[in-house]
PDB file of all heavy atoms in Angstrom:
ATOM      1  N   ASN A  72      -6.210  -9.852   5.344  1.00 98.00           N
ATOM      2  CA  ASN A  72      -6.023  -8.391   5.135  1.00 98.00           C
ATOM      3  C   ASN A  72      -4.606  -8.160   4.679  1.00 98.00           C
ATOM      4  O   ASN A  72      -3.785  -9.082   4.543  1.00 98.00           O
ATOM      5  CB  ASN A  72      -6.292  -7.603   6.437  1.00 98.00           C
ATOM      6  CG  ASN A  72      -5.532  -8.071   7.654  1.00 98.00           C
ATOM      7  OD1 ASN A  72      -4.282  -8.189   7.532  1.00 98.00           O
ATOM      8  ND2 ASN A  72      -6.198  -8.384   8.710  1.00 98.00           N
ATOM      9  N   GLY A  73      -4.319  -6.889   4.385  1.00 98.00           N
ATOM     10  CA  GLY A  73      -3.010  -6.541   3.848  1.00 98.00           C
ATOM     11  C   GLY A  73      -1.924  -6.712   4.841  1.00 98.00           C
ATOM     12  O   GLY A  73      -0.758  -7.098   4.495  1.00 98.00           O
ATOM     13  N   THR A  74      -2.190  -6.422   6.085  1.00 98.00           N
ATOM     14  CA  THR A  74      -1.238  -6.592   7.189  1.00 98.00           C
ATOM     15  C   THR A  74      -0.772  -8.094   7.276  1.00 98.00           C
ATOM     16  O   THR A  74       0.453  -8.344   7.432  1.00 98.00           O
ATOM     17  CB  THR A  74      -1.783  -6.102   8.475  1.00 98.00           C
ATOM     18  OG1 THR A  74      -2.376  -4.840   8.316  1.00 98.00           O
ATOM     19  CG2 THR A  74      -0.712  -6.017   9.591  1.00 98.00           C
ATOM     20  N   LEU A  77       1.516  -8.889   4.533  1.00 98.00           N
ATOM     21  CA  LEU A  77       2.857  -8.325   4.765  1.00 98.00           C
ATOM     22  C   LEU A  77       3.616  -9.217   5.755  1.00 98.00           C
ATOM     23  O   LEU A  77       4.812  -9.518   5.592  1.00 98.00           O
ATOM     24  CB  LEU A  77       2.759  -6.933   5.351  1.00 98.00           C
ATOM     25  CG  LEU A  77       2.774  -5.750   4.401  1.00 98.00           C
ATOM     26  CD1 LEU A  77       2.419  -4.458   5.126  1.00 98.00           C
ATOM     27  CD2 LEU A  77       4.181  -5.583   3.752  1.00 98.00           C
ATOM     28  N   PHE A  99       2.121   3.843   6.293  1.00 98.00           N
ATOM     29  CA  PHE A  99       1.125   3.428   7.270  1.00 98.00           C
ATOM     30  C   PHE A  99       1.711   2.476   8.251  1.00 98.00           C
ATOM     31  O   PHE A  99       2.664   1.751   7.954  1.00 98.00           O
ATOM     32  CB  PHE A  99      -0.044   2.784   6.495  1.00 98.00           C
ATOM     33  CG  PHE A  99      -1.189   2.311   7.416  1.00 98.00           C
ATOM     34  CD1 PHE A  99      -1.773   3.117   8.325  1.00 98.00           C
ATOM     35  CD2 PHE A  99      -1.635   0.990   7.256  1.00 98.00           C
ATOM     36  CE1 PHE A  99      -2.805   2.697   9.157  1.00 98.00           C
ATOM     37  CE2 PHE A  99      -2.667   0.561   8.037  1.00 98.00           C
ATOM     38  CZ  PHE A  99      -3.278   1.398   9.023  1.00 98.00           C
ATOM     39  N   ALA A 101       1.001  -0.226   9.493  1.00 98.00           N
ATOM     40  CA  ALA A 101       0.953  -1.690   9.212  1.00 98.00           C
ATOM     41  C   ALA A 101       2.308  -2.207   8.691  1.00 98.00           C
ATOM     42  O   ALA A 101       2.711  -3.317   8.978  1.00 98.00           O
ATOM     43  CB  ALA A 101      -0.157  -1.992   8.215  1.00 98.00           C
ATOM     44  N   THR A 102       2.965  -1.384   7.856  1.00 98.00           N
ATOM     45  CA  THR A 102       4.258  -1.807   7.253  1.00 98.00           C
ATOM     46  C   THR A 102       5.233  -2.199   8.368  1.00 98.00           C
ATOM     47  O   THR A 102       5.883  -3.230   8.358  1.00 98.00           O
ATOM     48  CB  THR A 102       4.834  -0.683   6.409  1.00 98.00           C
ATOM     49  OG1 THR A 102       3.803  -0.104   5.599  1.00 98.00           O
ATOM     50  CG2 THR A 102       5.949  -1.195   5.512  1.00 98.00           C
ATOM     51  N   MET A 160       7.214   1.185  -0.058  1.00 98.00           N
ATOM     52  CA  MET A 160       5.767   1.311  -0.069  1.00 98.00           C
ATOM     53  C   MET A 160       5.437   2.417  -1.129  1.00 98.00           C
ATOM     54  O   MET A 160       5.990   3.504  -1.088  1.00 98.00           O
ATOM     55  CB  MET A 160       5.290   1.723   1.313  1.00 98.00           C
ATOM     56  CG  MET A 160       3.787   1.585   1.521  1.00 98.00           C
ATOM     57  SD  MET A 160       2.805   2.890   0.805  1.00 98.00           S
ATOM     58  CE  MET A 160       2.950   4.169   2.061  1.00 98.00           C
ATOM     59  N   ASP A 186       5.320  -3.099  -0.677  1.00 98.00           N
ATOM     60  CA  ASP A 186       4.026  -2.879  -0.085  1.00 98.00           C
ATOM     61  C   ASP A 186       3.218  -2.068  -1.073  1.00 98.00           C
ATOM     62  O   ASP A 186       3.330  -0.833  -1.091  1.00 98.00           O
ATOM     63  CB  ASP A 186       4.261  -2.134   1.277  1.00 98.00           C
ATOM     64  CG  ASP A 186       2.900  -1.913   1.974  1.00 98.00           C
ATOM     65  OD1 ASP A 186       1.862  -2.104   1.383  1.00 98.00           O
ATOM     66  OD2 ASP A 186       2.923  -1.549   3.162  1.00 98.00           O
ATOM     67  N   ALA A 188      -0.013  -2.036  -1.127  1.00 98.00           N
ATOM     68  CA  ALA A 188      -1.382  -1.983  -0.564  1.00 98.00           C
ATOM     69  C   ALA A 188      -2.184  -0.872  -1.181  1.00 98.00           C
ATOM     70  O   ALA A 188      -3.414  -1.000  -1.326  1.00 98.00           O
ATOM     71  CB  ALA A 188      -1.280  -1.788   0.953  1.00 98.00           C
ATOM     72  N   GLU A 189      -1.528   0.218  -1.528  1.00 98.00           N
ATOM     73  CA  GLU A 189      -2.281   1.428  -1.986  1.00 98.00           C
ATOM     74  C   GLU A 189      -2.183   1.574  -3.559  1.00 98.00           C
ATOM     75  O   GLU A 189      -2.749   2.542  -4.048  1.00 98.00           O
ATOM     76  CB  GLU A 189      -1.655   2.695  -1.357  1.00 98.00           C
ATOM     77  CG  GLU A 189      -1.658   2.520   0.154  1.00 98.00           C
ATOM     78  CD  GLU A 189      -1.115   3.731   0.888  1.00 98.00           C
ATOM     79  OE1 GLU A 189      -0.563   4.637   0.227  1.00 98.00           O
ATOM     80  OE2 GLU A 189      -1.261   3.807   2.132  1.00 98.00           O
ATOM     81  N   SER A 210      -3.695  -4.685  -0.543  1.00 98.00           N
ATOM     82  CA  SER A 210      -4.782  -4.644   0.514  1.00 98.00           C
ATOM     83  C   SER A 210      -6.086  -4.367  -0.166  1.00 98.00           C
ATOM     84  O   SER A 210      -6.137  -3.548  -1.163  1.00 98.00           O
ATOM     85  CB  SER A 210      -4.497  -3.535   1.499  1.00 98.00           C
ATOM     86  OG  SER A 210      -5.630  -3.281   2.266  1.00 98.00           O
ATOM     87  N   ASN A 212      -8.769  -3.402   1.843  1.00 98.00           N
ATOM     88  CA  ASN A 212      -9.548  -2.748   2.929  1.00 98.00           C
ATOM     89  C   ASN A 212     -10.597  -1.844   2.299  1.00 98.00           C
ATOM     90  O   ASN A 212     -10.525  -1.480   1.162  1.00 98.00           O
ATOM     91  CB  ASN A 212      -8.565  -1.964   3.789  1.00 98.00           C
ATOM     92  CG  ASN A 212      -9.236  -1.496   5.084  1.00 98.00           C
ATOM     93  OD1 ASN A 212     -10.047  -2.210   5.658  1.00 98.00           O
ATOM     94  ND2 ASN A 212      -8.955  -0.273   5.468  1.00 98.00           N
ATOM     95  N   LYS A 215      -9.621   1.199   0.120  1.00 98.00           N
ATOM     96  CA  LYS A 215      -8.598   1.105  -0.966  1.00 98.00           C
ATOM     97  C   LYS A 215      -9.338   1.183  -2.328  1.00 98.00           C
ATOM     98  O   LYS A 215     -10.553   1.318  -2.437  1.00 98.00           O
ATOM     99  CB  LYS A 215      -7.807  -0.193  -0.856  1.00 98.00           C
ATOM    100  CG  LYS A 215      -6.979  -0.228   0.507  1.00 98.00           C
ATOM    101  CD  LYS A 215      -5.742   0.574   0.422  1.00 98.00           C
ATOM    102  CE  LYS A 215      -5.132   1.008   1.725  1.00 98.00           C
ATOM    103  NZ  LYS A 215      -4.736   0.020   2.675  1.00 98.00           N
ATOM    104  N   GLY A 222      -9.328  -7.628   3.354  1.00 98.00           N
ATOM    105  CA  GLY A 222      -8.618  -8.617   2.510  1.00 98.00           C
ATOM    106  C   GLY A 222      -7.235  -8.114   2.064  1.00 98.00           C
ATOM    107  O   GLY A 222      -6.970  -6.940   2.162  1.00 98.00           O
TER     108      GLY A 222
HETATM  109  C1  LIG B 401      -3.872  -0.423   3.876  1.00 66.74           C
HETATM  110  C2  LIG B 401      -2.410  -0.610   3.985  1.00 66.74           C
HETATM  111  C3  LIG B 401      -1.861  -1.749   4.565  1.00 66.74           C
HETATM  112  C4  LIG B 401      -2.602  -2.936   5.085  1.00 66.74           C
HETATM  113  O1  LIG B 401      -3.889  -2.943   5.040  1.00 66.74           O
HETATM  114  P1  LIG B 401      -4.989  -3.784   5.808  1.00 66.74           P
HETATM  115  O2  LIG B 401      -5.860  -2.748   6.372  1.00 66.74           O
HETATM  116  O3  LIG B 401      -4.357  -4.652   6.765  1.00 66.74           O
HETATM  117  O4  LIG B 401      -5.593  -4.514   4.664  1.00 66.74           O
HETATM  118  C5  LIG B 401      -0.510  -1.891   4.596  1.00 66.74           C
HETATM  119  N1  LIG B 401       0.333  -0.927   4.201  1.00 66.74           N
HETATM  120  C6  LIG B 401      -0.199   0.212   3.670  1.00 66.74           C
HETATM  121  C7  LIG B 401       0.781   1.270   3.195  1.00 66.74           C
HETATM  122  C8  LIG B 401      -1.554   0.464   3.640  1.00 66.74           C
HETATM  123  O5  LIG B 401      -1.984   1.616   3.120  1.00 66.74           O
END
Side-chain angles (χ1 to χ4, degrees):
N72 56 52
T74 310
L77 269 169
F99 178 52
T102 317
M160 196 280 280
D186 182 347
E189 306 181 350
S210 165
N212 189 41
K215 299 282 159 61

